[in-house]
Amino acid sequence: MLVFKQLTLENFGPYFGKQKLIFPSKKGVIIIRGKNGRGKTTIMNALRFVLFGSVKLSGRKNIDLVQYLNIISKTKGNFRYKVILDIELDGKSYEITRLLSPKPGLLCPETINDYQFPEALIKETTESGEQKVLIDSEVKRILNQIMDEHVARFYLFDGELLKEYESQLMGEQDVGAAKIKEGIENILGVPILKNACEQIDVCLDQYSRNFELIIQSNKETEKLGIAITTANTKRESCKIDVQELNSDLSEIRNELSQIQNKLENSILNQEAIKEQAKLQKDIENFNKKIEEKKEQRISELRSTWKGLLSPILQAKKGEINSEIKNSNQIISEREKREKYIEELKTSLNNNRCKLCNQLLDTEASLNLKEQLDKCDCDDLSDSDLKITKDLLLTLQNQSKYIDDFTKDNSTEKICIIESEIREIQTKLLFAKKDLEDTNQEVESMSLSLSEYQSLIDQRDLLKKKEKSSTDGLEKTQKTIKEIEENVKKLEIQLNHVSNDGEVENAKRQRDFVTQLRDLVQNGISQYQNDLKKRVEIDATSLFIKLSDEKEYNKLKINENYGLEIIHKDGEVIPLRSSGYEHLVAFSLIGALHKNAPLQGPLFMDTSFGRLDQENSQNLIRVLPELSEQVILLVHDREIDEERIRGLIPSAIKAKYQIERVSSRESKLKLIEDNV
Amino acid sequence: MVTIGLTTDADHIINELKDHFGFGSSSDMALFAFSYAVRNNLPRVPISGTQTKWGTSTFNVTDFEMIINICYPDNEEDLVTVFRDLIHAGIFKINEIMRDNPDLKISDIIS
């Protein structure tokens, strides 16, 4: 069992001075949260540095280690940085230190050549509590046991680098794939068995030689013994030839594979150039659309102020209408009264009632006069009437103005246009990022015509060499077979001639070891197959928990431990999304952890970026199953912490925040410790 | 000819706001600021030391006169002065909001 206890960074990347990350010893998840550019990936790279002495990123390129020197430290004249990792391995405590420091005598180193190679130093804490410095061979052994560099990405998982890794695993002829396969088998314990087989081969050699010596020392079998030894010597020489031819062939095939890759890339390059042109066109279109939308916005903004006022004017219209009603009422009453006065006056002038046409007596006339006087007293003055009429006109104009003003004046259009601009701007941003990536891709793959032709020539030459080596190999193997047949015949003759018990005994011993070697070899191949089967079963089981696509029901392992998704109808899913690449990788990670003789921690940087909500939730649920120590490096918007707590409430053991001090300095702050 | 003036500060701010929100001209921005002030019943800002920015022909006089008459029926002051003061009130307030939220959009203001 491997447990990370503490990581100390000193002037590494943005971490100025000495800063510590203490990993709780209890099984669970540790969250390290920080914004982009604050130093999450630097933590992973510090681990790569301390474990492997180098930082290898995409394209299998090494990053210049000088770049990790903290700038503040550099300006203060300190050109050294150090990473210390405290671990517990199978119950023993070790402290691994790696230091990058200038060559002696150099005060201002500039390039990596001015620095000493950062050798690892490991101290073992003994039972008495003392620290013992380990010798080089022990250091190498411990580092190999902890983590194989070729599969480190499965333990120091960087979501952004996964695609390249997956493609290596799926390409069965690739040299990188073979190394990764070897690395995976290292983790799974295959080398122990292979070493055992090599030791048996050494024994077999000794027993064979012993057998030959015994035959030669016996007078009856001396001649046969010499013939057998000569044949065996020839066979051994042929075997050496086979080894050399195999080694040549392997080199030729490696070279061929590299050239083939370059040629394929140049074909891919055509695709990338097409993609580049498409993205450039997209960007042009997006820019054009944004300009069009901005023009629309200018035009719309010309009347937006009306939309802003419409609600308030609509409200005012209610008040205006009520005033119009009042004014109309006053004017209408005035008109009624005028008509009544006119009737009274006419009745009095004619001394006859205008309504009933009867003559007025004195009393009725007096009564009408009284009413007439009263009306005159109550009446609105003409000037007031005019004011009221003017007011009415103004109010009516205002009401009509509001009707015209509020017609078709909404603020919705501008909101829609702004939202459309934002949407196109987001698409533009993504297209620019994709174009940047594609430009890099095109640049890295670009070949001139002469380079292309030279590669074709090299490939043809290598193919000829491959053919010649293969023929040589076949011929030598045939010779070995013939020699072995011959040796068999000689040994049959030997059986007839010799009755010596010593010869019999030596032969039995040799045959026994031969059988043992064959048995172990078969065992290894059986173990490798079983291992693959177990990894396939465990990876499938995890994948089903992770994936929300119920029609994908299996993962199938290939020769290099690459995994293919199998649809429930048995078909292989040919093109899987980035999100699914992640899910497959997580499944393999979990299966490797489960089957490895050495269980270890798992670091995951920006792992949720390409997963949708449902798959992210599934991944959170299985996190505790992936490893006993899971360290999540996440940025603020990547995943909602409450969601993690809701799904795996008791699994979070500690939380760190990477805080910004300045653009050149970050600090690690423990903000929650649940142990 | 009747003119409308802005203080140096207001002139500077109105140009910034115009560019930020994507208005076609400063007069469009001014009308928006005026409407914002009316809609939010902002108090008029006492102004001194303005410099001529627009002639009244830049704007539809009927519009701002009508709106001021409708929304401020008790107003007895010169309508152009009220219009100018409300433009100032609007741009200063929008600028204040934008200081707290530099990504402010027109849709945020009108919603």
Side-chain angles (χ1 to χ4, degrees), chain A residues 534-575:
Chain A
R534 287 212 306 267
V535 171
E536 186 180 90
I537 290 167
D538 291 334
T540 297
S541 151
L542 268 173
F543 180 74
I544 287 168
K545 286 181 194 170
L546 286 171
S547 160
D548 61 336
E549 178 52 75
K550 299 301 165 209
E551 290 188 10
Y552 295 167
N553 71 348
K554 198 187 163 194
L555 289 179
K556 190 180 165 199
I557 201 158
N558 72 12
E559 188 55 29
N560 295 322
Y561 294 84
L563 291 163
E564 291 174 322
I565 303 175
I566 308 293
H567 189 269
K568 67 177 182 185
D569 63 14
E571 290 289 317
V572 175
I573 304 299
L575 294 168

Side-chain angles (χ1 to χ4, degrees), chain B residues 52-86:
Chain B
T52 303
K53 178 83 179 173
W54 306 287
T56 41
S57 59
T58 309
F59 303 99
N60 181 342
V61 180
T62 319
D63 274 335
F64 71 75
E65 283 186 353
M66 197 60 110
I67 289 160
I68 293 167
N69 282 333
I70 292 169
C71 297
Y72 304 93
D74 300 330
N75 172 58
E76 287 174 358
E77 281 189 64
D78 169 47
L79 295 177
V80 175
T81 309
V82 176
F83 181 53
R84 180 202 67 185
D85 291 355
L86 286 169

Side-chain angles (χ1 to χ4, degrees), chain A residues 305 308 401 414 418 422, chain B residues 35 39 63 66 105 107 110:
Chain A
W305 68 279
L308 198 60
Y401 177 80
I414 192 74
E418 283 206 331
R422 272 199 298 278
Chain B
S35 308
R39 177 166 162 161
D63 274 335
M66 197 60 110
K105 303 209 164 36
S107 44
I110 58 186

Side-chain angles (χ1 to χ4, degrees), chain A residues 25-81:
Chain A
S25 53
K26 287 199 176 164
K27 182 182 171 180
V29 179
I30 299 142
I31 299 174
I32 303 172
R33 195 172 269 278
K35 290 185 173 172
N36 287 339
R38 289 276 60 85
K40 293 188 297 297
T41 307
T42 305
I43 292 175
M44 298 266 276
N45 289 341
L47 285 166
R48 290 184 178 110
F49 172 70
V50 73
L51 292 172
F52 316 124
S54 63
V55 179
K56 209 169 269 188
L57 293 179
S58 60
R60 291 174 251 169
K61 283 178 190 159
N62 277 328
I63 295 289
D64 183 1
L65 291 176
V66 180
Q67 287 180 20
Y68 286 102
L69 179 64
N70 180 268
I71 295 173
I72 301 171
S73 168
K74 197 173 160 184
T75 51
K76 286 178 186 276
N78 178 9
F79 291 88
R80 292 150 45 102
Y81 64 73

Side-chain angles (χ1 to χ4, degrees), chain A residues 294 297-298 301-302 304-309 311-313 316-317 319-320 394 397-399 401-402 405 411-412 414-415 418 422, chain B residues 20-24 28 31-32 34-36 38-40 62-64 66-67 69-73 105-111:
Chain A
K294 280 186 177 172
R297 183 171 66 180
I298 288 176
L301 279 172
R302 237 168 254 144
T304 300
W305 68 279
K306 289 188 176 177
L308 198 60
L309 280 178
I312 201 165
L313 290 183
K316 287 281 176 192
K317 196 185 161 194
E319 292 170 24
I320 290 168
T394 307
N397 282 340
Q398 287 180 346
S399 177
Y401 177 80
I402 291 172
F405 188 92
T411 53
E412 270 173 36
I414 192 74
C415 294
E418 283 206 331
R422 272 199 298 278
Chain B
H20 177 84
F21 293 118
F23 280 89
D28 288 344
L31 266 177
F32 186 83
F34 161 74
S35 308
Y36 182 80
V38 174
R39 177 166 162 161
N40 292 286
T62 319
D63 274 335
F64 71 75
M66 197 60 110
I67 289 160
N69 282 333
I70 292 169
C71 297
Y72 304 93
K105 303 209 164 36
I106 279 292
S107 44
D108 300 328
I109 300 176
I110 58 186
S111 56

Side-chain angles (χ1 to χ4, degrees), chain A residues 616-650:
Chain A
S616 291
Q617 284 187 1
N618 293 343
L619 176 59
I620 293 166
R621 277 192 203 100
V622 303
L623 277 179
E625 283 182 49
L626 293 177
S627 169
E628 295 214 346
Q629 217 180 12
V630 177
I631 297 101
L632 277 185
L633 294 142
V634 288
H635 61 70
D636 288 344
R637 287 186 182 175
E638 193 180 345
I639 194 151
D640 178 8
E641 208 172 295
E642 287 312 308
R643 194 143 45 103
I644 303 182
R645 287 184 198 282
L647 293 164
I648 43 170
S650 59

